[in-house]
Amino acid sequence: MRKSHLIYWASGIVSICGIIFEVLFGALGSYILGDGVKQYTLTISLFLTGMGVGASISERVMKNLIITFIWIEFMVALIGGFSSFTMFGMTAFAPSGTDALFLYLITFTIGGLTGLELPILIRKANEIGVELNRSTARVLFSDYAGGLIGGLLFAFYLRPQMGMVKSAFFVACINLSVALVVLYLFRSEINRLVFHTSAAVVIAILLIGGLFFGEELAFSFEQKLYKDPIIHMEESAYQKIVVTKEQGDTRLFLNGSLQFSSSDEYRYHETLIHPAVANAESKENVLVLGGGDGIAVKELLKYEKIKNITVVDLDPAVTTLAKNNYHLLQLNQGSLSDERVQVRNEDAFEFLEKSGDWYDIIISDLPDPNNESLNKLYTREFYSLLRNHLEPGGTSMVQATSPVFAPSVYWTISETIESTGLHTANFHVDIPSFGNWGFVMASREPIKVEDISIQADTKFLTDEVLKSMTVFGKDEDREIVNREGEVVPLKPNTLIDPHLIQKYESAWQNY
């Protein structure tokens, strides 16, 4: 019975490892390739397909079940362990598109090996003497229960605490440990025991080396993805946070996407903040959605009339960094620690749903809608909530991506805001590190841009410059024409019909 119990434990443990690799590959794809929903969909589909293929192949294994299982674990340990490390290396050095092909191939391969494991364990349990129905049920129970444990471990411990490179090596070491335990307990059935043990030792040396030194090497690979030297990098529960600096230019990246450059952030933040403040009748209470770096808040604190600023940013790691990192403090001037500022680490949509407060000014400084979770922050439902928290005479300003690189996205966001009954005004500005960037001002009352006068000390923005921002070129115009010369009608983006994601992906694929 000792050996049959080991088989059940082994099936549970390798299932934990399998599900961790599955979600790890999805996270890798989301971070490096973008579009998290697409990457998770592809990796889960490929992994499950691989499992099916592996299960089919397992019926051809007629003898040496234990040796086959041991070598499956050896292969999972080697391939899975070096997966993240190799992925970062390929991203830095391999031709474009190779990293995606590698990720999909390795996902299918690990899935196939995982699919081989369970039928072999079931047959081995049956061979020992456990009835087939009992052995199948118990191994499958261990598999499914292990899947839940693996998912929870990755989401709440491995990814935030160890990162993707160390996690892969760590989980691979567990696979190898299972193989070694099985190798020892079934040693009387195994020929060439020294050979198999020697192979395990070599793999163990490689994995332990990767566990201790792989992240440092991967960091050097990842450095090549960024123009400037990385001075801070961390993996939060929500995203990868990277800060770079070169010759006085500090840059913040979230999941590889540039958030600001200190060389020209004032162009972005002055446009985001000051027109909305100038247009609002009252200025006491302000809500900032996103903006966890604190730079937008710095601009708001220039106004003595502003009494309360609530910042709602999902990731506490970002706001903590903004409060403590020397380089970010140089930019935000300690704004998040000001007595007028309250920081809430919550989802913006959920915050608006449950909050009963009204605001004179609402600033939406949220990341672009490049996945499902961010898309909901650019829907009619979200902007309806925003409208319902906006005081009469109040003003909102929404960052709305580029009307040059993604005109259909920009004008769809504007159309979506208008569909809630709010009046809008459209602006765009050249920001060297981003290109031409767009904003949408919204209010319950009609907006007269010619009456807006900037009331704070600015480095870039003037009343005349603001008025010029409302002029759009033919290639940025609201009237989007397709290849057949037909005008494409705009429709609001909604939770039920989230078409903005596809528009965003299509618009930015060549940039």
Side-chain angles (χ1 to χ4, degrees):
M1 291 299 294
R2 183 184 182 191
K3 289 184 178 180
S4 63
H5 286 156
L6 170 67
I7 287 174
Y8 304 141
W9 276 103
S11 64
I13 293 171
V14 298
S15 295
I16 291 173
C17 296
I19 197 68
I20 290 174
F21 278 127
E22 184 179 358
V23 293
L24 171 66
F25 298 151
L28 274 173
S30 178
Y31 171 58
I32 295 177
L33 304 176
D35 192 348
V37 172
K38 175 182 175 182
Q39 299 308 325
Y40 274 103
T41 300
L42 286 173
T43 52
I44 291 171
S45 300
L46 285 167
F47 195 90
L48 291 175
T49 302
M51 287 184 69
V53 172
S56 177
I57 294 174
S58 69
E59 66 182 4
R60 301 183 183 182
V61 180
M62 304 306 296
K63 56 182 180 178
N64 297 326
L65 295 178
I66 286 298
I67 286 298
T68 301
F69 175 78
I70 288 169
W71 276 93
I72 288 171
E73 295 311 300
F74 285 176
M75 293 172 68
V76 171
L78 267 178
I79 297 171
F82 280 88
S83 58
S84 296
F85 176 80
T86 307
M87 186 72 177
F88 282 110
M90 293 191 71
T91 302
F93 299 108
S96 177
T98 309
D99 48 1
L101 180 62
F102 170 78
L103 177 64
Y104 301 147
L105 179 61
I106 206 170
T107 300
F108 181 81
T109 301
I110 295 294
L113 292 170
T114 302
L116 271 168
E117 293 168 339
L118 294 186
I120 288 175
L121 289 174
I122 290 171
R123 287 166 58 191
K124 186 60 184 177
N126 184 239
E127 186 180 283
I128 290 172
V130 181
E131 293 179 5
L132 181 59
N133 61 340
R134 294 181 65 190
S135 63
T136 301
R138 291 178 180 181
V139 169
L140 289 178
F141 171 78
S142 299
D143 173 59
Y144 298 148
L148 172 62
I149 295 170
L152 294 174
L153 277 174
F154 181 79
F156 295 103
Y157 179 73
L158 292 175
R159 184 176 182 269
Q161 298 297 323
M162 301 184 72
M164 288 185 278
V165 174
K166 274 190 176 181
S167 291
F169 282 117
F170 177 76
V171 175
C173 287
I174 296 175
N175 279 103
L176 181 62
S177 298
V178 170
L180 285 170
V181 172
V182 172
L183 182 66
Y184 175 75
L185 290 180
F186 286 88
R187 62 189 180 279
S188 60
E189 303 178 24
I190 297 174
N191 296 322
R192 303 175 65 193
L193 183 62
V194 174
F195 169 75
H196 301 305
T197 305
S198 299
V201 170
V202 171
I203 295 171
I205 292 171
L206 291 173
L207 293 179
I208 292 171
L211 188 62
F212 284 98
F213 305 108
E215 190 171 54
E216 185 176 342
L217 286 172
F219 178 84
S220 66
F221 295 157
E222 191 167 17
Q223 175 67 75
K224 296 183 181 297
L225 301 177
Y226 299 92
K227 175 185 174 183
D228 302 328
I230 296 173
I231 59 172
H232 177 87
M233 181 169 67
E234 66 176 294
E235 188 90 22
S236 77
Y238 302 99
Q239 58 202 338
K240 189 151 196 172
I241 305 167
V242 172
V243 180
T244 68
K245 187 166 186 177
E246 177 68 20
Q247 296 181 349
D249 182 17
T250 302
R251 298 188 173 210
L252 173 67
F253 296 83
L254 300 180
N255 280 345
S257 297
L258 178 65
Q259 303 303 300
F260 67 77
S261 166
S262 63
S263 63
D264 55 26
E265 58 77 16
Y266 60 90
R267 282 178 164 253
Y268 174 92
H269 289 102
E270 288 181 5
T271 306
L272 179 70
I273 298 301
H274 298 299
V277 176
N279 190 66
E281 291 181 7
S282 179
K283 312 180 194 304
E284 287 194 5
N285 298 308
V286 181
L287 174 64
V288 179
L289 303 172
D293 53 51
I295 303 178
V297 176
K298 176 194 70 175
E299 296 296 325
L300 288 167
L301 290 173
K302 293 179 179 180
Y303 296 90
E304 292 184 1
K305 291 183 178 180
I306 293 178
K307 304 301 181 184
N308 302 291
I309 301 171
T310 302
V311 178
V312 178
D313 193 287
L314 179 63
D315 195 346
V318 173
T319 53
T320 299
L321 187 70
K323 289 180 179 180
N324 297 285
N325 183 273
Y326 170 80
H327 304 283
L328 295 190
L329 286 171
Q330 292 294 104
L331 292 171
N332 64 36
Q333 297 176 7
S335 61
L336 296 186
S337 298
D338 190 279
E339 61 182 8
R340 289 184 282 172
V341 178
Q342 179 187 17
V343 176
R344 304 280 294 272
N345 294 122
E346 300 178 40
D347 177 85
F349 199 107
E350 293 178 3
F351 173 84
L352 291 178
E353 280 188 312
K354 66 184 182 182
S355 174
D357 296 329
W358 288 55
Y359 300 92
D360 302 304
I361 301 161
I362 300 178
I363 304 297
S364 181
D365 187 19
L366 297 162
D368 283 358
N370 57 12
N371 61 51
E372 293 284 352
S373 60
L374 291 172
N375 172 78
K376 73 177 183 180
L377 306 178
Y378 289 83
T379 59
R380 179 164 55 196
E381 292 83 354
F382 178 76
Y383 293 128
S384 295
L385 288 171
L386 186 150
R387 175 203 61 205
N388 295 343
H389 288 274
L390 192 62
E391 290 274 12
T395 302
S396 177
M397 184 70 97
V398 177
Q399 88 80 14
T401 195
S402 172
V404 173
F405 303 133
S408 63
V409 177
Y410 174 80
W411 291 110
T412 296
I413 293 172
S414 184
E415 175 72 19
T416 303
I417 295 172
E418 290 172 21
S419 72
T420 68
L422 292 171
H423 297 274
T424 63
N426 301 95
F427 303 86
H428 65 132
V429 59
D430 284 316
I431 305 170
S433 60
F434 284 99
N436 192 285
W437 213 255
F439 302 83
V440 180
M441 181 184 288
S443 177
R444 294 175 179 272
E445 294 77 31
I447 299 169
K448 297 180 179 179
V449 177
E450 63 274 12
D451 294 339
I452 297 176
S453 180
I454 305 303
Q455 303 165 7
D457 181 37
T458 58
K459 188 175 180 180
F460 159 71
L461 192 60
T462 66
D463 294 349
E464 292 73 21
V465 169
L466 179 64
K467 294 177 178 62
S468 72
M469 291 180 183
T470 62
V471 180
F472 289 78
K474 288 184 178 180
D475 61 345
E476 311 161 310
D477 197 61
R478 188 186 188 102
E479 193 172 271
I480 309 299
V481 180
N482 62 23
R483 293 179 180 178
E484 288 73 33
E486 301 169 335
V487 176
V488 180
L490 295 173
K491 61 178 181 177
N493 184 49
T494 66
L495 290 174
I496 297 175
D497 181 21
H499 59 274
L500 192 65
I501 300 174
Q502 288 74 33
K503 287 184 176 180
Y504 185 91
E505 182 179 358
S506 176
W508 284 98
Q509 64 182 348
N510 295 320
Y511 297 100

